[in-house]
Amino acid sequence: MIASCLCYLLLPAARLFRALSDAFFTCRKNALLAKSSSTQVEGSFAMAPRGPDQEECEGLLQQWREEGSSQALSTLSEGPLVDKGLAQSSLALLMDNPGEQDAVSEDKWSSRQLSDLRAAENLEEPFPEVLGEEPLPEVEGPVWTAVPMQTGPQYADCAALPMGALAAEQWEEDPAVVAWSIAPEPMPQEEALIWPFEGLGQLQPPPMEIPYHEILWREWEDFSTQPDAQGLEAGDGPQFQFTLMSYNILAQDLMQQSSELYLHCHPDILNWNYRFANLMQEFQHWDPDILCLQEVQEDHYWEQLEPSLRMMGFTCFYKRRTGCKTDGCAVCYKPTRFRLLCASPVEYFRPGLELLNRDNVGLVLLLQPLVPEGLGQVSVAPLCVANTHVLYNPRRGDVKLAQMAILLAEVDKVARLSDGSHCPIILCGDLNSVPDSPLYNFIRDGELQYHGMPAWKVSGQEDFSHQLYQRKLQAPLWPSSLGITDCCQYITFCHPKRSERLQYSRDFLLRFRFCDVACQRPVGLVLMEGVTDTKPERPAGWAESVLEEDTLEPEPVLPRTVGTIQHCLHLTSVYTHFLPQHGRPEVTTMPLGLGTTVDYIFFSAESCENRNRTDRRLCQDGTLKLLGRLSLLSEEILWAANGLPNPFCSSDHLCLLASFGMQVIAP
């Protein structure tokens, strides 16, 4: 009876072996497809179709249960014609859960196919029980189990994962986190398993995916020496060091209004609570002294961001966009490092001006650095920090230039010192302009000839040269009623008020009776006897011209060049906008999957006299010196991380971080 049963089982076992081999290679192909760049691949391959071989195996299973399992297994395991590992692996599939119904048996069959697929990964960690299933009988070699598939269609290709890497209770985690779980580390060579199937070549597992924290790794580029314990650099002189971060954190309302830009993201990572936790973790990790934020939603600011940042030691100022907009800009600083001198919100909307009918805003703060008490009677110049978010529309470069002129005029007013010079300035934000565009060059070089320039060309975001109608910039760009000159200064500062009224004595006023003009007879004067017929006589000893040349102050002349705007703030960029080690441009955002740079940190620095025009970043160190910066990423690296946002970066922009030093002046 035992011998006949053995012969009866050998032929179906061979068929079963061929079926498992076909299923292995099919699932292997699908597994490689699942690791491709597309996130829209459906995961239907996780369940194998029901075929005639499967029905034959189920019939064999039923007969084997009726005749007794223990005796057949013992005889089959001792047979010289069948590989022991193959018998154990094949019969283990047939022995699991004898009391299940047919529908459940079909799912178990596909699960075992996935088990053999995962066995090829050469992992030998035993699995715990999952969802109440009975554990498999202990056999030699690795044992794999099928994992319930995620409900999200975008993550169906991540349905089978090794249970040795994740515990059973972790399946309730956020699907965005589970979907991007870090791959297990490879096993040492001495622990590698022996391939149990003779005559078949062992397939090597696919290359392991790079973990997220390694893909998005950003290096700190240090340009300074090591600071001392007090946070001051000992070089030519002590310096007050601080860090500043600029970050467009993506307002939730704006994200929902443009949901088509974020179809590549799992819905759970776009949830505000998920994003808020990630943003706060970034703030805590980098711990800047000054934080400039854009696209800050008003209710999120007052309910969550401001209280959380206050607990981190920040004092915050916020300016919401005008009109019905729900987001704005915020500037936060640590009162232990700075003291507020003044805060100026800037609104770009001007009623009645078509050029300035948009609701964008800016915020300008004047901060006084606080020097440690141990340094004695020393001082540091004030610091002007400006933060803004300029209009996005790529076609309206004229609006962007006018908005930037208003911001620069406000910075000129706040940063101007009593002697007419300016204190150190940092201007940052989302300018919605690419590097080397006319707007970018205007901020950096201090001059722009705009007359006749197409409006779309100002920001350089898109090329509309193929369109027949193109809006072109005309001079003057804005009317004089705006109160801002072509040098981006308020007119009130171009006309200084006299400190006091000039005082004239009686003797000085009497001199005008005998001035040269008084001694000349006006043309057409009617001759009247005793009135206009006499000529005044100049007293002896009086000079012909008693009026001194410097008694009358000339009216200030406003320089105005048609079609040209200027500013005198001497700004340069923290970033070079190119990654020489990768040979790729830097990227701060990825709209529609296209990497570009629109976020900047500019700081004031004097230009070199013999500056090479090919390298416009060469500048002399003034009172503000760049000490370091957080490196940016290339478009290819962000593509490998599924773009922006992703489970680790919760905005569609990257944060910008820089370290500065200011000279400490002794009395």
Side-chain angles (χ1 to χ4, degrees):
M1 178 65 181
I2 297 176
S4 60
C5 180
L6 176 59
C7 295
Y8 185 80
L9 287 173
L10 285 179
L11 182 58
R15 295 178 180 176
L16 175 60
F17 174 75
R18 289 194 299 270
L20 288 176
S21 299
D22 295 339
F24 171 75
F25 288 105
T26 302
C27 292
R28 186 64 174 175
K29 178 181 178 181
N30 291 331
L32 293 176
L33 179 62
K35 293 185 178 182
S36 63
S37 59
S38 174
T39 59
Q40 304 294 336
V41 180
E42 297 294 338
S44 58
F45 61 84
M47 302 298 295
R50 183 184 182 93
D53 291 339
Q54 183 175 349
E55 297 177 357
E56 184 176 357
C57 291
E58 292 179 356
L60 177 61
L61 174 62
Q62 182 65 24
Q63 181 177 356
W64 177 81
R65 289 172 178 170
E66 295 176 356
E67 295 180 359
S69 59
S70 61
Q71 187 176 5
L73 177 60
S74 176
T75 304
L76 184 58
S77 301
E78 299 174 356
L81 301 178
V82 183
D83 184 88
K84 183 177 179 180
L86 174 61
Q88 289 178 341
S89 177
S90 301
L91 290 180
L93 297 175
L94 304 177
M95 294 173 62
D96 189 24
N97 297 336
E100 291 182 341
Q101 298 180 358
D102 294 340
V104 181
S105 177
E106 179 179 349
D107 293 344
K108 287 298 175 183
W109 172 244
S110 61
S111 299
R112 299 301 161 247
Q113 289 181 341
L114 287 176
S115 300
D116 283 351
L117 170 63
R118 290 301 180 180
E121 300 288 348
N122 293 334
L123 298 177
E124 58 181 4
E125 186 177 358
F127 307 143
E129 296 184 4
V130 183
L131 302 179
E133 295 182 2
E134 296 183 6
L136 291 173
E138 295 185 0
V139 294
E140 298 180 2
V143 182
W144 288 82
T145 183
V147 172
M149 295 177 59
Q150 299 293 327
T151 57
Q154 292 180 333
Y155 293 88
D157 51 347
C158 301
L161 294 174
M163 290 303 297
L166 296 175
E169 61 269 15
Q170 290 179 334
W171 289 110
E172 298 299 328
E173 291 181 353
D174 193 303
V177 179
V178 176
W180 293 100
S181 299
I182 299 177
E185 298 182 357
M187 296 179 57
Q189 294 182 357
E190 60 271 16
E191 300 180 2
L193 298 177
I194 301 176
W195 188 245
F197 304 114
E198 297 180 0
L200 292 178
Q202 181 176 2
L203 292 178
Q204 296 296 328
M208 198 170 303
E209 294 184 3
I210 303 177
Y212 248 130
H213 68 279
E214 295 183 8
I215 293 178
L216 300 178
W217 182 259
R218 301 175 62 182
E219 298 179 352
W220 178 259
E221 302 175 1
D222 192 3
F223 304 142
S224 66
T225 59
Q226 187 69 21
D228 58 16
Q230 291 181 332
L232 299 174
E233 182 186 7
D236 297 336
Q239 289 189 350
F240 175 84
Q241 296 185 6
F242 65 96
T243 56
L244 180 142
M245 174 184 285
S246 178
Y247 201 176
N248 184 327
I249 63 174
L250 179 58
Q252 194 74 9
D253 287 350
L254 298 181
M255 182 191 67
Q256 295 174 357
Q257 294 173 8
S258 304
S259 58
E260 67 279 359
L261 300 178
Y262 311 100
L263 296 178
H264 64 284
C265 303
H266 191 277
D268 288 347
I269 72 172
L270 299 179
N271 181 274
W272 167 246
N273 292 330
Y274 181 93
R275 297 177 55 234
F276 172 72
N278 269 5
L279 293 172
M280 295 306 302
Q281 189 174 11
E282 277 193 88
F283 300 155
Q284 291 177 352
H285 176 74
W286 298 116
D287 192 26
D289 298 311
I290 302 176
L291 186 60
C292 299
L293 303 177
Q294 305 91 41
E295 287 195 23
V296 182
Q297 192 165 311
E298 185 177 24
D299 56 343
H300 292 163
Y301 171 79
W302 293 113
E303 296 174 5
Q304 294 175 284
L305 282 169
E306 195 276 339
S308 300
L309 292 174
R310 186 171 1 103
M311 293 179 61
M312 293 174 57
F314 285 97
T315 298
C316 305
F317 286 85
Y318 178 75
K319 173 58 181 176
R320 182 181 63 85
R321 284 202 289 168
T322 54
C324 301
K325 304 300 186 296
T326 60
D327 68 291
C329 297
V331 176
C332 312
Y333 68 93
K334 289 185 177 180
T336 56
R337 306 296 314 280
F338 298 93
R339 176 171 57 89
L340 180 68
L341 297 180
C342 70
S344 300
V346 182
E347 296 181 356
Y348 301 141
F349 179 81
R350 295 292 189 274
L353 289 182
E354 190 272 338
L355 181 67
L356 293 169
N357 59 356
R358 307 305 172 96
D359 296 313
N360 304 86
V361 296
L363 194 58
V364 181
L365 267 64
L366 187 63
L367 303 174
Q368 177 62 53
L370 301 178
V371 182
E373 297 179 357
L375 296 179
Q377 299 295 328
V378 296
S379 61
V380 181
L383 175 67
C384 179
V385 179
N387 180 30
T388 187
H389 189 181
V390 176
L391 176 70
Y392 166 76
N393 192 343
R395 302 173 183 269
R396 297 306 305 270
D398 52 343
V399 177
K400 298 182 183 186
L401 276 180
Q403 291 181 350
M404 185 54 58
I406 295 176
L407 180 67
L408 293 175
E410 188 68 26
V411 170
D412 176 83
K413 182 187 73 172
V414 173
R416 183 178 293 274
L417 301 177
S418 58
D419 59 354
S421 61
H422 297 89
C423 67
I425 300 169
I426 296 180
L427 189 153
C428 58
D430 184 350
L431 304 185
N432 279 315
S433 301
V434 301
D436 288 328
S437 63
L439 178 60
Y440 174 89
N441 293 334
F442 167 62
I443 298 175
R444 184 192 56 190
D445 299 338
E447 183 177 355
L448 175 64
Q449 297 180 0
Y450 63 87
H451 183 68
M453 180 182 299
W456 60 265
K457 195 175 182 179
V458 172
S459 63
Q461 294 167 279
E462 298 183 33
D463 187 358
F464 296 100
S465 58
H466 60 280
Q467 295 185 355
L468 296 178
Y469 171 75
Q470 299 182 20
R471 182 192 299 266
K472 294 186 178 181
L473 276 60
Q474 302 295 328
L477 185 59
W478 56 80
S480 58
S481 60
L482 185 61
I484 296 178
T485 68
D486 291 338
C487 293
C488 297
Q489 295 177 339
Y490 288 120
I491 295 180
T492 54
F493 285 91
C494 298
H495 292 276
K497 296 181 179 180
R498 296 179 180 179
S499 59
E500 59 181 357
R501 186 176 179 181
L502 295 179
Q503 302 294 329
Y504 301 103
S505 62
R506 180 176 181 275
D507 294 338
F508 178 82
L509 294 177
L510 286 176
R511 294 179 183 180
F512 286 96
R513 178 182 178 186
F514 303 102
C515 64
D516 293 339
V517 177
C519 296
Q520 296 178 1
R521 184 180 182 86
V523 179
L525 181 63
V526 178
L527 181 60
M528 298 178 62
E529 185 178 356
V531 179
T532 61
D533 58 348
T534 60
K535 182 179 180 181
E537 297 179 0
R538 181 179 294 108
W542 283 44
E544 295 184 359
S545 179
V546 297
L547 291 179
E548 300 179 0
E549 296 181 357
D550 56 350
T551 55
L552 297 179
E553 296 183 0
E555 290 292 332
V557 178
L558 299 179
R560 187 175 183 87
T561 304
V562 178
T564 303
I565 54 177
Q566 300 172 341
H567 72 82
C568 57
L569 301 181
H570 304 291
L571 301 176
T572 187
S573 176
V574 167
Y575 290 90
T576 60
H577 318 305
F578 191 77
L579 300 170
Q581 63 273 22
H582 298 89
R584 296 287 188 273
E586 294 175 338
V587 168
T588 65
T589 184
M590 286 191 68
L592 297 175
L594 300 177
T596 185
T597 294
V598 296
D599 305 275
Y600 303 94
I601 298 179
F602 291 96
F603 68 101
S604 56
E606 294 292 337
S607 302
C608 294
E609 296 180 358
N610 298 324
R611 184 176 61 176
N612 184 5
R613 301 300 295 179
T614 59
D615 186 4
R616 301 178 180 179
R617 296 193 67 259
L618 295 178
C619 57
Q620 297 177 349
D621 294 330
T623 55
L624 195 60
K625 181 178 180 180
L626 179 63
L627 303 179
R629 65 190 178 198
L630 183 63
S631 65
L632 291 172
L633 301 175
S634 65
E635 181 179 352
E636 289 75 12
I637 294 178
L638 290 176
W639 264 113
N642 199 32
L644 294 173
N646 55 55
F648 291 86
C649 296
S650 289
S651 175
D652 56 352
H653 292 248
L654 294 176
C655 68
L656 277 61
L657 183 68
S659 175
F660 297 95
M662 299 179 64
Q663 294 180 356
V664 176
I665 305 174

